[in-house]
Amino acid sequence: MRAVRMTAPGVLEQVEIPTPTAGPGEVLLRVGAVGACHSDLHILDAPAGTFPTPMTLGHEIAGTVDQVGAGVAGWSPGDRAAVYGIIGCGHCRACLRGLENQCRTVPVGGIGLSRDGGLAEHVVVPASRLLHVGDMDLTQAAPLTDAGLTPYHAIEQARPELRPGTYCVVIGIGGLGHMAVQILIATTAVRIIAVDTNVAALDLATRLGAHKVVKAGPDTVDKIRAIVGPPPDGADVVLDFVGADPTITTARQVVAPGGQVMLVGLAGGTLPVRPVADQPPTIPLEATARVPFWGTRAELQEVIALGRLGMLQADVQTFPLERTPEAYELLRRGEIHGRAVIVP
Ligand code: NAD
Ligand code: ZN
Ligand code: ZN
C-alpha cells in the first residue's frame, strides 16, 4: 500500500509498504480521510530520537473497517469510524478515570505519534479506539478527532469561567481555532474575540459567528483591552492555539483576575508566573493556566454528536495522498484555511 512516512527527522516520503493485518483486538481500517495537523510539523521538526522513524504520520483519522482481528466484538467490515488517537495504558489512575490523555504510564503518544498513523491506504488500530460516525462524510469526521476534540476538551476544562455574556479570546483561527469558535457557539453563550495574524482566518471566524475579530500585531493587547476593558478587567478565558511568546504574552496580559489561560498551541513559548506583590505581576492574581492535551474518548463521542447535528463543521481543503507534502508546506506557510484533509 502507499504510505506517507517520516523516514528520518524532517524527511517526509511517499513509500510502498506491505499492507498491515489486524492482530488480536485490532481492526484494519481503510483510511477515508486524515487531517494534516500543525503538530505533524512539530513532529517533523523535532530532534532525532524524539519520535520513531520510519513512522507513517497522521493522527486525525476516519475510515471504514476492512478486517477485524481475533476477539473483536462490535465492529464488522464496512462499519464507518473515527479514530481516538491516544493509547493510554488503561490501568493507571488517570486511565481508570477515562483520562487517557493524562496517562501516567505511557508517555505522550498514540496513533501517528508513536506508531504508524493514517497517512496511508490502511492503518491498524486497537478496536477500542474506534467510534461510530454513521453516514457522516469521512472528510468531516476526521478533523473532529483532534481539531475538534482538542478545543472541546480545553473548553470543557474552562467551562466554569465560560459564563453567559463573558469574554473568550481565541488566538489562532486555524485548524483547531476555527473549530473552537463553533464549539463555543454551540455550547456556551460567551462573546468570542478571534485573534489571528491572517486576515482570511479572521474572515472565517466572522463567518462562523465570532463577535469581534482582532488582527494580531504590536497593538493586539490594546485592541483586546478596548473590547474587554482595561486591567484589572479582562477576558474570562483565553484559548491560545499558537503558543508562541507573543501570543502567550497577549494571553496573560488580557486575562482577567481569576480567569483561565489555556495553552493549547505548541509553538515553544514560555509563560512566566511570578506570584509576588512588589513587582508587576506576570499574570493576574487568581488566574489559572493549563496545558490541555487532546481529549478523552467520552469527549470525542460528544464532538462527533455535534458534528452529526451539523453544529460543528470543519472548513476542509482536500488533497490526494500524493500531494501531502504540498499540504504540509501550505500549512507551514499559513496558507491553509480551516483544515487540510488528505484523502488517500
Ligand atoms: P494551524 O496552522 O492550522 O493554525 C494556526 C493559526 O494560528 C493560523 O491561522 C495562523 O495564522 C495563526 N497564527 C500563527 N501565529 C500567530 C500569532 N503570532 N498570532 C495570532 N495568530 C497566529 O494549526 P493547528 O493545526 O490549528 O494547531 C495549532 C497549534 O496547536 C499547533 O501548535 C499544534 O501543534 C497544537 N496542537 C496542540 C494539541 C494539544 O493537544 N495541546 C493538539 C493539536 C494541536
Ligand atoms: Zn494534532
Ligand atoms: Zn494509563
Side-chain angles (χ1 to χ4, degrees):
M1 67 170 186
R2 294 169 299 134
V4 173
R5 311 190 99 189
M6 176 166 78
T7 50
V11 183
L12 197 63
E13 280 184 281
Q14 185 176 321
V15 293
E16 196 68 36
I17 56 171
T19 302
T21 51
E26 292 178 333
V27 160
L28 178 71
L29 211 60
R30 179 154 42 79
V31 179
V34 198
C37 180
H38 207 111
S39 297
D40 295 327
L41 301 179
H42 298 316
I43 294 172
L44 283 162
D45 294 345
T50 315
F51 295 95
T53 50
M55 179 177 71
T56 305
L57 288 184
H59 55 268
E60 207 178 78
I61 309 167
T64 309
V65 174
D66 230 17
Q67 213 184 70
V68 292
V72 171
W75 291 96
S76 316
D79 286 346
R80 306 167 85 258
V83 177
Y84 175 69
I86 298 175
I87 306 180
C89 73
H91 307 293
C92 73
R93 243 168 68 78
C95 284
L96 287 175
R97 295 171 64 211
L99 300 168
E100 289 177 82
N101 56 335
Q102 295 176 12
C103 179
R104 297 179 179 206
T105 310
V106 180
V108 173
I111 297 157
L113 301 177
S114 55
R115 57 183 270 166
D116 283 338
L119 276 172
E121 289 174 81
H122 292 85
V123 63
V124 167
V125 302
S128 60
R129 304 301 94 179
L130 298 185
L131 286 93
H132 289 281
V133 296
D135 59 2
M136 183 177 233
D137 184 338
L138 295 179
T139 62
Q140 277 297 321
L144 296 178
T145 64
D146 180 10
L149 175 58
T150 301
Y152 188 83
H153 175 67
I155 288 165
E156 277 300 297
Q157 290 183 318
R159 196 164 293 283
E161 310 311 326
L162 293 166
R163 313 303 305 166
T166 60
Y167 285 107
C168 180
V169 175
V170 183
I171 306 176
I173 312 295
L176 274 63
H178 91 292
M179 299 295 264
V181 170
Q182 297 177 65
I183 294 164
L184 287 167
I185 289 170
T187 70
T188 74
V190 296
R191 292 184 277 191
I192 301 165
I193 303 172
V195 182
D196 205 295
T197 43
N198 186 315
V199 175
L202 295 178
D203 290 345
L204 176 59
T206 302
R207 186 156 63 69
L208 294 172
H211 303 90
K212 300 271 183 191
V213 296
V214 169
K215 168 124 168 52
D219 55 352
T220 310
V221 169
D222 293 339
K223 285 179 177 165
I224 297 172
R225 283 180 176 165
I227 303 167
V228 301
D233 207 346
D236 303 271
V237 174
V238 182
L239 305 172
D240 183 354
F241 293 110
V242 180
D245 280 325
T247 60
I248 292 176
T249 301
T250 297
R252 67 182 175 80
Q253 290 185 348
V254 303
V255 72
Q260 289 243 24
V261 174
M262 292 292 178
L263 297 172
V264 182
L266 304 171
T270 304
L271 173 69
V273 176
R274 184 176 52 214
V276 293
D278 61 347
Q279 290 175 50
T282 56
I283 186 166
L285 292 172
E286 292 279 309
T288 309
R290 288 184 84 135
V291 281
F293 176 58
W294 220 334
T296 69
R297 251 190 311 170
E299 287 166 342
L300 179 54
Q301 193 195 17
E302 294 173 2
V303 171
I304 291 169
L306 282 178
R308 294 184 71 179
L309 284 166
M311 298 171 97
L312 181 57
Q313 275 188 299
D315 201 80
V316 162
Q317 215 171 316
T318 58
F319 295 82
L321 192 67
E322 291 66 32
R323 287 178 60 204
T324 304
E326 181 192 339
Y328 281 123
E329 204 36 56
L330 291 170
L331 184 64
R332 201 183 277 284
R333 295 210 302 260
E335 290 172 18
I336 297 287
H337 303 300
R339 198 52 142 187
V341 172
I342 316 295
V343 179

